[in-house]
Structures are given as C-alpha cells and as structure tokens.
Amino acid sequence: MPLGRLTPRTGVPVRSVAILTALALGMAGTALLGAGAGTSTASSHREAPLIAADPKVDNTDVYAFTSPDNADTVTLIANWLPFQEPNGGPNFYPWADGAHYDINIDSQGTGKPDITYRWTFHTDDQRGTNTFLYNNGPVNNLNDPTLLFRQYYTLEELRPNCDPVTLVEHGQVAPSNTGKASMPDYGTLRRQATVQLPGGGQTVATQAADPFFLDLRVFDLLYGGNLSEVGQNTLAGYNVNSVALQIPKSRLAYKGDATRNPVIGIWSSTEKQTLKLSPGKADPTGKFVQVSRLGNPLVNEVVLPAGLKDAFNSLPPSEDHNQPAVVAKVLDPEVPKLVQAIYGLPAPAAPRTDLQEIFLTGIAKAANGPYAVDLNSQLMNQDIDPNRFVPAEELRLNMSTPMTAVPDRLGVLNGDFQGFPNGRRLTDDVVDIALQVMEGATPGHLIPALAAGDKVNTTDKPFSASFPYLALPYNKAVNQAQ
C-alpha cells in the first residue's frame, strides 16, 4: 500500500507499555551500547546468562519477508546455536534432541500464537565405539553410508483448540559442513534436505553462514570514540543452525484472508525439558519450559539488567506489558545520551513514543502513536477484536506491502516499506537502521553524521536467489574467512 513519508505527530499522550518500550530501546540500542566485548553479544547471540551456557537452544535472529521469487508466500527463518567455528569437530553442531524449536505467528495482536510451527529433532549416531569421525569418507548424498552422524525432525503445525497437524514426519537435517574434502558440494545436500509441504510451501533444517552482519567494535565506546574502528564484519566466518519455512500467506493470515487481515507478528522460541543426569547420560524429564525467545533483532542485551534477561527469555509476548521494571529507562533512554556525550549529537527529547510504536504496537493510525499512517500493526486487520490487542515485542510484517524491485538496506528509513521494521529481510542493515532510529531519524530524514554507520553493509558471502536464500555455511577457519 502506498504510504508516502512517515512523519511523527506531536502532542500524543504517552501510553503505559511497561517493559515493552524498554525492549524496543534494547532492539535499537544494542547497536550502540553493550556489556562485554568480542563475540559476547550480537543481535541475540548469547545475550542472557542462562542461555549463554546452553547454545544449542539459543535463538539468534528471526527473519520474515515476502518470498522474492514466490510473492504468494512468506519466508520465515529462525537461527540458533551462534558462533559456530567451522573447524568444530569431532562433534560439530547438532540440534538438541527433543527440544521444541518454534516459530510463532500472532495474527490477532494478542501476544499469543495463533499458529506455531514446531521442529523436534532426534539423532541417529552410528559412530558407536568404532570411530570418532562425523563422516568416514566423502558425503555426496544424504544417504551415503559415509555420513555417520544424522539428525531427523518432525515438523508440526499447532493451532489453539485444534489437534496438531504433522507436516513433515521424518525430515532429514542437512549436516554440519565438516569441510571441502568431506562434503564437496554442500548445496546438493541442502537441496536434498528441502521438503515440500502438503498444501504448498517448503522447509529445510540446515547449517548456514550467519546472515547477521555488523562490526562488533561498537562495544569499544561506539567504534573507538571517533568512528575509527569500523568496517569489519566480525561475524564473518561463523555459522548458525537454521530452520527455514516458506508458507502460503493464506495459511498465516487471520481467518485465512491475507487481503482483509494482512499483518502478522512473528517470534521464535525454544522449549526444553529438565534433564535427569546419570553416569554417561542425561534423560529429559518433566514439563517443557521456554528458555529462549526472539522477535525483533537487538532486544535482550542492553536495556534489561542481567537479573531480568533470563526472565524475559521465559515470558510469552502476551505478558510483556505486565512487567513494569524498567519503564523509567524506556521513555528516556540512555543510549542517545551516550552518543551525545561522545559525539556531541543532541539526544532526542523524551518521551520516545516513536520507538514505542515502531517496535511494540506496530505502526498504524489505530495505535494512537506519533505516526499517522498504516504500515504493520495487527490493528489494521479488519476482522480482529481491538479490545484484545496488547503491546508486545514481536517482529511485525504486513504481507500486503508491494514487492521492492531493488531492496534498500535501510528499509523504511530510505522509503523501502518492505524492509525492516516491516518484517526483516536478510539484506536489511538492522544495526545502521537502529543507530539512525535511536537518534530520531524518520523516513527521508537521516542523521547525516551517522550516515556511514559501521561501514558493514552486507555479508561477505552472497545470499541465494532461491529458497532458503541463506548463504551456504563456511568451511574454513574463521581466521582465514576474512
């Protein structure tokens, strides 16, 4: 839909959204401020104390966009297990057996999932007491007997008050890329692992080059205090575990009608059971507990103090607005003051209701926020009950936004309304977008002093033109990838 230029209104009363606005600032603020250095945080890589010790179930990034080569579908991608150095043998990087890896869809704006797509993995390890090798010869096909460590998954579609629907019963995972000699054509293995879904769509569980890109020297007092420490993609060379799902828009929209109800909210989450330990084994037991979640990028790192990070990972979005712990920091964020202290750029005046609308309610006239346009809030859906709507931290996508012929890495800020924060494409430069937004930029009105950002504008490995669009995983040591 044509939107023109987003211009904030003034004089709008502040709405109480509790922790949610703080989370919004966290999304935008991680680009500017962080506790730690090196590879301690990036997007949501190892962002909370407990999840840092359990990387197999650590959500890192979520992407949602209209499929560029199939406009009637949406592609959803969720990543886990960050900072995979390609030479990580002999065990490499398996999915956690029995855990629930979920992508959740909220089509009504309640903060609760109307649909959950759930991957559950199990392992077939044929090494036994014979060998330590992941594969004992070249693997040219997923069925080759030389592949000794295999994982499989069940994919279910879950809807409230309905029986689960199994979409994939025994899908095979594309394995960790153990090297050029072992897997000379990883692209073939990924294609073999891609499964067509009943009713349309496809899915794959695979290792991939981490699609998130930024210069982590942001943590050295904002790129060295004088923007001298920029230009290196610190995540180059690292892999992640990815699930990708391409699904018809009608399956995601409320009441199956993507014309009347085009906006959805998306987040990923991970659940696992408590482990009962015994000599040489760990058996899952008890109820499943949510241990990680992720919607918008750059959420749980900097605004939330360490004592609240694990709690946020355990909450559903529907409960976010009931957490009042950091309201004061939300409407008067610290990050712009830090930029002002270092670079002399005046901090935008508080309260920051523009950030509140961008990240928590979605942008819509009905949200009563500072923007006077309709972009990507579930409040735009014609068949929802607006009395049930709650502010919630979700990545929101308007599936009716026209396709962009030449995507702009700055998304909505540069007039490309299909880009972040209206969904998130692999090529969206969320760090530079966040930097601009925190300093008060609006579409067509960027902050000139920050125009160069971190000078990391894309990944060093090109994305694919077809599903799942992710770059193939690296197979060289990180210190050679650059």
Side-chain angles (χ1 to χ4, degrees):
M1 62 183 64
L3 294 169
R5 188 172 67 193
L6 297 176
T7 304
R9 296 185 301 202
T10 58
V12 179
V14 176
R15 301 173 66 189
S16 176
V17 294
I19 201 172
L20 289 178
T21 309
L23 300 177
L25 303 180
M27 293 176 236
T30 301
L32 300 176
L33 177 65
T39 57
S40 61
T41 57
S43 193
S44 283
H45 301 49
R46 301 180 63 216
E47 83 288 350
L50 288 179
I51 204 62
D54 201 356
K56 288 184 182 179
V57 291
D58 182 5
N59 303 75
T60 65
D61 287 280
V62 173
Y63 300 84
F65 50 91
T66 294
S67 307
D69 53 348
N70 190 348
D72 292 330
T73 68
V74 163
T75 294
L76 306 170
I77 297 172
N79 297 333
W80 281 267
L81 214 170
F83 301 117
Q84 297 180 18
E85 215 286 349
N87 297 327
N91 295 310
F92 293 96
Y93 303 101
W95 300 85
D97 281 1
H100 293 163
Y101 293 88
D102 295 346
I103 295 180
N104 306 283
I105 309 297
D106 172 14
S107 59
Q108 299 185 70
T110 62
K112 299 178 181 179
D114 294 289
I115 312 168
T116 295
Y117 292 100
R118 172 167 292 167
W119 288 259
T120 307
F121 296 87
H122 68 275
T123 298
D124 176 17
D125 188 347
Q126 301 176 10
R127 295 175 295 183
T129 58
N130 297 319
T131 181
F132 61 86
L133 291 170
Y134 190 94
N135 55 285
N136 61 1
V139 179
N140 297 300
N141 188 294
L142 288 180
N143 296 321
D144 283 351
T146 52
L147 181 59
L148 303 179
F149 187 93
R150 304 165 188 261
Q151 289 197 294
Y152 300 90
Y153 65 88
T154 299
L155 171 60
E156 298 175 291
E157 182 182 87
L158 311 176
R159 296 176 184 261
N161 304 316
C162 296
D163 292 333
V165 175
T166 299
L167 301 179
V168 180
E169 189 168 1
H170 193 64
Q172 187 169 353
V173 176
S176 292
N177 189 349
T178 56
K180 187 176 180 180
S182 293
M183 299 175 184
D185 186 0
Y186 192 88
T188 293
L189 302 180
R190 175 179 288 181
R191 287 190 294 272
Q192 292 174 348
T194 301
V195 178
Q196 300 302 306
L197 301 179
Q202 53 190 324
T203 189
V204 68
T206 182
Q207 191 182 50
D210 194 334
F212 189 62
F213 53 93
L214 83 165
D215 192 322
L216 277 169
R217 297 298 295 194
V218 66
F219 299 124
D220 184 16
L221 289 181
L222 306 186
Y223 304 117
N226 58 2
L227 296 179
S228 62
E229 298 176 352
V230 294
Q232 180 190 36
N233 179 14
T234 323
L235 293 181
Y238 290 103
N239 298 321
V240 290
N241 283 353
S242 298
V243 293
L245 176 70
Q246 190 174 84
I247 204 79
K249 292 178 178 179
S250 59
R251 293 272 290 276
L252 303 176
Y254 184 51
K255 294 188 174 181
D257 192 336
T259 300
R260 289 179 57 83
N261 305 301
V263 179
I264 56 175
I266 306 101
W267 72 98
S268 63
S269 57
T270 327
E271 296 179 343
K272 63 180 298 185
Q273 293 174 285
T274 302
L275 295 178
K276 181 179 179 180
L277 301 179
S278 57
K281 61 188 304 186
D283 296 316
T285 183
K287 293 182 178 180
F288 280 88
V289 177
Q290 180 178 299
V291 295
S292 183
R293 77 179 247 212
L294 183 73
N296 283 279
L298 311 169
V299 175
N300 194 9
E301 288 82 1
V302 298
V303 171
L304 292 181
L308 293 179
K309 290 179 181 292
D310 294 323
F312 171 75
N313 268 341
S314 71
L315 287 173
S318 60
E319 289 299 316
D320 288 341
H321 69 291
N322 292 323
Q323 311 302 315
V326 288
V327 170
K329 294 182 180 180
V330 166
L331 299 174
D332 188 15
E334 180 182 0
V335 171
K337 296 177 182 178
L338 177 64
V339 174
Q340 178 173 323
I342 296 175
Y343 292 113
L345 295 176
R352 295 296 304 276
T353 54
D354 56 333
L355 298 177
Q356 170 185 312
E357 187 175 6
I358 288 171
F359 294 110
L360 305 180
T361 64
I363 297 172
K365 296 174 184 177
N368 295 321
Y371 289 100
V373 297
D374 287 326
L375 179 64
N376 69 337
S377 173
Q378 291 103 326
L379 287 167
M380 296 165 53
N381 291 342
Q382 297 179 47
D383 296 326
I384 73 161
D385 179 357
N387 295 317
R388 299 182 63 207
F389 181 88
V390 297
E393 194 283 293
E394 301 172 353
L395 179 66
R396 289 177 170 85
L397 173 67
N398 184 342
M399 298 184 290
S400 71
T401 304
M403 292 283 291
T404 304
V406 182
D408 191 290
R409 68 181 182 88
L410 295 182
V412 172
L413 281 182
N414 253 3
D416 180 357
F417 293 104
Q418 203 185 41
F420 182 73
N422 184 17
R424 181 184 179 188
R425 301 167 300 194
L426 295 170
T427 56
D428 287 340
D429 193 342
V430 296
V431 170
D432 282 4
I433 294 170
L435 180 64
Q436 288 282 339
V437 167
M438 280 297 290
E439 293 305 308
T442 57
H445 296 276
L446 302 181
I447 308 301
L450 301 174
D454 64 357
K455 293 187 178 180
V456 178
N457 299 336
T458 187
T459 61
D460 64 326
K461 290 193 74 173
F463 296 115
S464 171
S466 59
F467 182 84
Y469 311 106
L470 296 158
L472 297 175
Y474 295 95
N475 58 13
K476 294 182 179 180
V478 170
N479 62 4
Q480 297 180 26
Q482 301 173 45

